[in-house]
Structures are given as C-alpha cells and as structure tokens.
Amino acid sequence: MQIIIYDNAHQVAESAAKWVKELINKKPAPVLGLATGSTPISLYKQLVEQHKAQGLSFKNVTTFNLDEYHQIDPLNPQSYRSFMDKNLFSHVDIDMNNTFLPTCAVGENPRVQGLAYEENIKKHGGIDLQILGIGANGHIGFNEPTSSLSSRTRIKTLTQQTISDNSRLFKPNEKQPTMAMTMGIATIMNARYVLLMATGANKANAVKDMITGGVSAMCPASALQMHENAIILLDKAAASELGEQNYYQWAESENRKLIEHYGYFHNY
Ligand code: F6R
C-alpha cells in the first residue's frame, strides 16, 4: 500500500484527478472504475473543470461503477446512475453506451446480472484504475463487514450503520433502499490499480483498521493490503489514528525524488 497524507480534502481530490488524467492520456481505451458518495464529488468536479478548460477527453473511456441500489429506477434522483449523470457524465464527452453500473431491475435475476457484469468487465480488458471511498465500517463498494474476500458482483443487504450513515442523503418521506448490487471484493482486487480516497475524522478508525489491522472480512477494505498497486489518499483528519504518519510522510517525500528522477511509471 502506498499511503499519501495531504493537508486537506481538496488536495486529495487534486491528486486523484492527476491519476485519472494520467490514465486517460496514457491508454488509448482506458477502463475506469467509479464510486459514488460524498468523497469523490470533488474529484468529479475537477475532472469536469479539466474537460472544459484543458480538453481532457472521455471519448474513449469506459466506466464501471462499483454499485447501484437494487431495483431502483435509473431515473430516480437517488439512483447511482443519476448521481453519475449529475456529477460527471452529463458534463463531459463520454459515450453513455460505455458507462456501466451493476443494475438489477424488477424481474431480473441478481445472479444472472452479477455474472453478466463480471463478464462485461472482462470483455473490456479489466479495470485499469478503480476509484474507491471507504465506509465508516470499513466497507468498499457495498461490501459490508462479513463480505467474503473472494466475492464477485452480487446483491448485498446493507448494514444498519450504512443505512443510517446514508440517511442524510434521503428526505424524511423518501424510501431508502436496503439492498444493492455491488462489485465483489475479488472484482475490486482484479483492478490493475486501486485509488482509495478517505477524508474526514469519521473515517479515521476505518482507515486505521484498513491499513494496520489484520486482513479480515470484518473490514473489507483491509483486503487492499494484498493488492499489488493500492494507493491510499488521505487528508490529515482521516489519517489521524495512524501511528506511522511521520513514516508515511517521509516515505512519500523520498518517493517524490524517485518520480522527479525517473518520472511516473504506471503499468496500465
Ligand atoms: C459508493 C461506495 C461506497 C462509498 C462509501 C463512502 O459507490 O462504493 O463504498 O464509497 O460508503 O461514502 P462517502 O464518500 O459518502 O463517505
């Protein structure tokens, strides 16, 4: 794991945007894994700005989102499809036919849908760079604690903690879904690079468990300890429970020197 600690959430988003931009500029047909939630909103804002100001083009980009609520109408403003349209897709030149979410509509079989999503990712050559947030309970995607570390795209029942954490996004009279289709932990682990963004003090314990705890289904993000290319971008608040903060900061400044000398090398 490469742990990078920034002063604030804006810098975390700026850094994540650089990763996305590098992938888009480097690979002719990049495949990007996307997340929803509050954390990546500022990343998407920066990408939209770069599209408008600097011509960053999404024409050849294919995207796979981590998750989508079970049986939700894509036009429902609470759907993750609507979230992605609002925060990214409708502001850039992406071909909407190349944007995928793990959906399961009424009447569809979640098992069939899950397998088809996995096949579609494979058909596109796999995910180059997967953007992740982290839940306060250590979930990635909607892989809640207890999720198998070998899981694939499937339906998951949300925990009470996640339902209550996300209730801020729903109006009092609005029905909040309790199930979602999500990429599995093994699906996420197959991405060539994973870029996890965590900001705010409410993520500090989950971040500590992910980085320094044992690898366990009780903290799904801890599986990333076993990923060859996991980059963890934190603001100071999210890093506040880590005992090795000075080491990570020093290691990152040493790493910068290598980058200055050799340039970036990402093996997409
Ligand atoms: C959303 C997702 C979730 C969120 C996590 C953090 O697609 O996969 O794992 O990343 O719940 O959400 P925020 O960023 O709202 O704190």
Side-chain angles (χ1 to χ4, degrees):
M1 276 179 160
Q2 186 185 350
I3 319 292
I4 312 180
I5 304 171
Y6 293 96
D7 285 341
N8 54 55
H10 181 75
Q11 291 173 351
V12 168
E14 236 171 33
S15 171
K18 273 190 198 147
W19 277 82
V20 174
K21 190 175 165 187
E22 201 228 346
L23 169 67
I24 292 179
N25 288 337
K26 184 164 180 184
K27 211 166 169 180
V31 180
L32 196 52
L34 297 175
T36 59
S38 307
T39 314
I41 289 179
S42 47
L43 160 65
Y44 299 144
K45 240 185 215 148
Q46 297 210 13
L47 293 176
V48 170
E49 274 165 24
Q50 292 190 20
H51 168 69
K52 292 192 170 146
Q54 296 161 30
L56 179 68
S57 174
F58 290 75
K59 242 185 206 148
N60 300 320
V61 177
T62 297
T63 63
F64 286 94
N65 264 79
L66 283 165
D67 38 24
E68 176 58 288
Y69 287 123
H70 182 45
Q71 294 187 339
I72 198 164
D73 183 335
L75 296 176
N76 182 324
Q78 291 289 0
S79 76
Y80 286 170
R81 165 61 73 185
S82 298
F83 174 100
M84 290 313 306
D85 287 349
K86 179 174 158 214
N87 290 291
L88 183 66
F89 297 157
S90 65
H91 307 288
V92 295
D93 59 345
I94 199 160
D95 178 347
M96 292 299 267
N97 293 318
N98 294 336
T99 65
F100 301 101
L101 285 92
T103 53
C104 187
V106 180
E108 283 178 336
N109 179 336
R111 283 188 168 231
V112 173
Q113 293 298 109
L115 280 173
Y117 202 63
E118 292 284 328
E119 280 308 310
N120 199 17
I121 293 173
K122 260 193 226 152
K123 198 182 95 189
H124 284 84
I127 293 170
D128 293 308
L129 177 65
Q130 175 66 56
I131 306 295
L132 295 172
I134 183 170
N137 63 2
H139 73 213
I140 46 176
F142 271 138
N143 294 287
E144 296 284 36
T146 73
S147 288
S148 161
L149 301 183
S150 304
S151 49
R152 293 275 165 192
T153 305
R154 72 214 181 289
I155 200 160
K156 278 299 285 185
T157 302
L158 309 187
T159 59
Q160 283 306 320
Q161 183 179 352
T162 297
I163 293 169
S164 112
D165 286 350
N166 287 354
S167 61
R168 70 186 193 283
L169 305 167
F170 291 81
K171 295 188 194 102
N173 57 349
E174 218 172 15
K175 192 169 175 275
Q176 186 180 353
T178 55
M179 293 177 114
M181 288 288 286
T182 178
M183 277 187 202
I185 297 176
T187 323
I188 294 168
M189 293 293 283
N190 280 162
R192 291 183 186 88
Y193 284 79
V194 296
L195 194 64
L196 185 142
M197 307 166 69
T199 56
N202 63 326
K203 300 293 173 67
N205 282 326
V207 164
K208 182 181 176 207
D209 289 348
M210 162 178 69
I211 296 172
T212 64
V215 174
S216 158
M218 295 315 288
C219 177
S222 66
L224 301 180
Q225 290 178 31
M226 308 289 288
H227 196 288
E228 202 181 350
N229 299 305
I231 295 92
I232 314 293
L233 308 178
L234 307 172
D235 69 357
K236 281 198 167 147
S240 59
E241 291 294 322
L242 292 173
E244 304 288 335
Q245 287 172 57
N246 289 341
Y247 172 72
Y248 295 132
Q249 277 168 334
W250 179 63
E252 180 50 21
S253 69
E254 292 294 282
N255 193 35
R256 295 251 134 243
K257 291 182 198 158
L258 290 179
I259 292 169
E260 272 162 31
H261 191 77
Y262 296 104
Y264 276 105
F265 181 72
H266 300 138
N267 195 13
Y268 288 118

